[in-house]
Amino acid sequence: QAVPAGAAADVPTILDVVVTDKADRPITGLQAGDFKVIDNKTQQSVIGLREVAGETPNADPPVEAILLVDEINTLPEVMARERKDIEAYLRQSGGQLPLPTSLVFLTDTELQYQGKPSRDPKVLLDSLASHPNPQRRFQWEGGYQAGVQQREKSLEGLNGLVLKLQTRPGRKLVIWISHGWLAFPQESIKKSAKEMDGLFTYIVSLSTMLRDARITLYSVDPYGAQRDLFVAANNDYQIYTKGVASAKQADNGDLYLQVIATQTGGKVLFGSNNVAKMIDQCVADAQAFYVLTFNAPHATHPNE
């Protein structure tokens, strides 16, 4: 995850770091000297490193998973299959989930939180059963404008979720089950300088909030292998993952779900008909990770 400069030197910046081998298996037993932190092209000293086994009941710091069911950006027929896949994930757990887990539904009017995190799959199955199939209450406008509204409500939902989770201790794995929203990168060239400043400020703010809340965001596309054959958008996000350093570089594409997920260190998974397996891949990131701290240099100007 790219770290925005600007934190005071006496307030350590905390990063939750997952290290894996080529087979995506977690690597344990590393020491502070095995890591390099580069901020603004300058190496910073690692002042603290702690290895964490995140799937233990008394993990320190605590770790939780949030399964976010996106009803705004998912077709009804896909939603029906997706719910069955979530049920399959919960039922295959063997009576205990690897992490305390909760369900959140992003509807066209609000975020609906379904109880406290629990390792008991029966609790989540009951929560899923108690949430009816989505009923559209918001009247979307047609065509282009509908995509704009869906994007706005999706980002509002993400902001609301971050504000909710930032008060909880420890690391949070937010698994956003959705194809994502339209970003309209082609519209960026039409923005005024003031609008570009506003876009950049929002990008910086969202990135900082996610890092401070210790959220790793994952994008899990439920549409399956068939949809991947004719939708290129699953790969379009990759040109925006590097990050931006100024308002002149800002682009609507920087707010793709997949871009935000990548920049928090999360996975972008698609092209599979097995949603349960993709959720497993996300949760596996909590098996073993490192809490790394360093002192970020002072910024020379706001939003550096």
Side-chain angles (χ1 to χ4, degrees):
Q1 160 173 326
V3 182
D10 55 352
V11 179
T13 295
I14 299 174
L15 296 179
D16 296 304
V17 183
V18 177
V19 184
T20 59
D21 61 17
K22 292 182 179 180
D24 206 31
R25 294 171 299 205
I27 296 176
T28 60
L30 298 178
Q31 306 299 316
D34 296 315
F35 292 85
K36 285 185 179 180
V37 178
I38 309 297
D39 189 344
N40 284 354
K41 300 181 181 181
T42 302
Q43 184 170 339
Q44 309 296 328
S45 297
V46 176
I47 62 174
L49 184 76
R50 187 152 53 91
E51 186 176 338
V52 180
E55 291 190 349
T56 59
N58 298 316
D60 182 22
V63 189
E64 64 175 288
I66 296 92
L67 302 181
L68 189 140
V69 181
D70 183 347
E71 297 180 354
I72 291 179
N73 302 289
T74 309
L75 296 173
E77 60 269 24
V78 176
M79 181 64 65
R81 187 177 70 248
E82 175 186 319
R83 289 173 68 100
K84 292 181 179 179
D85 288 338
I86 295 173
E87 288 182 14
Y89 167 74
L90 296 172
R91 294 187 189 281
Q92 73 183 20
S93 63
Q96 179 170 295
L97 295 167
L99 298 175
T101 304
S102 58
L103 281 167
V104 177
F105 292 88
L106 176 63
T107 74
D108 52 9
T109 59
E110 62 182 341
L111 278 173
Q112 295 183 1
Y113 299 88
Q114 300 290 104
K116 296 180 180 179
S118 174
R119 286 179 179 265
D120 187 346
K122 293 181 181 179
V123 172
L124 275 76
L125 285 166
D126 289 343
S127 295
L128 188 63
S130 68
H131 183 86
N133 289 323
Q135 301 292 323
R136 300 293 187 193
R137 291 176 292 275
F138 185 84
Q139 296 299 313
W140 303 109
E141 297 184 31
Y144 168 86
Q145 194 58 36
V148 172
Q149 291 174 307
Q150 289 166 337
R151 173 179 178 267
E152 289 176 352
K153 284 191 170 289
S154 300
L155 291 171
E156 286 174 6
L158 178 56
N159 275 305
L161 183 65
V162 174
L163 291 172
K164 177 84 170 181
L165 295 180
Q166 69 181 3
T167 59
R168 297 184 189 175
R171 184 177 176 216
K172 303 94 180 176
L173 279 59
V174 175
I175 302 170
W176 196 295
I177 307 174
S178 169
H179 180 62
W181 47 83
L182 297 174
F184 305 103
Q186 69 277 5
E187 298 293 320
S188 300
I189 59 174
K190 302 178 183 178
K191 292 183 181 294
S192 65
K194 183 177 181 179
E195 289 172 326
M196 292 294 283
D197 285 338
L199 175 61
F200 179 66
T201 298
Y202 179 76
I203 293 168
V204 171
S205 174
L206 181 58
S207 173
T208 303
M209 287 171 59
L210 285 160
R211 179 170 53 84
D212 287 345
R214 300 180 71 172
I215 292 174
T216 306
L217 182 64
Y218 298 82
S219 170
V220 171
D221 190 337
Y223 280 83
Q226 183 177 0
R227 181 172 174 92
D228 185 47
L229 295 177
F230 58 90
V231 175
N234 277 317
N235 291 312
D236 287 349
Y237 77 92
Q238 294 178 357
I239 63 176
Y240 301 102
T241 57
K242 185 178 180 180
V244 292
S246 69
K248 292 181 180 179
Q249 298 175 354
D251 193 289
N252 285 345
D254 297 310
L255 293 175
Y256 275 120
L257 168 64
Q258 294 85 349
V259 171
I260 301 170
T262 300
Q263 292 181 341
T264 67
K267 292 180 170 70
V268 175
L269 301 175
F270 58 90
S272 171
N273 292 323
N274 192 336
V275 171
K277 182 178 179 180
M278 290 192 286
I279 295 174
D280 267 335
Q281 288 178 259
C282 301
V283 173
D285 274 355
Q287 289 179 8
F289 65 95
Y290 299 86
V291 179
L292 183 151
T293 56
F294 73 100
N295 287 327
H298 286 285
T300 57
H301 56 81
N303 287 343
E304 180 181 358

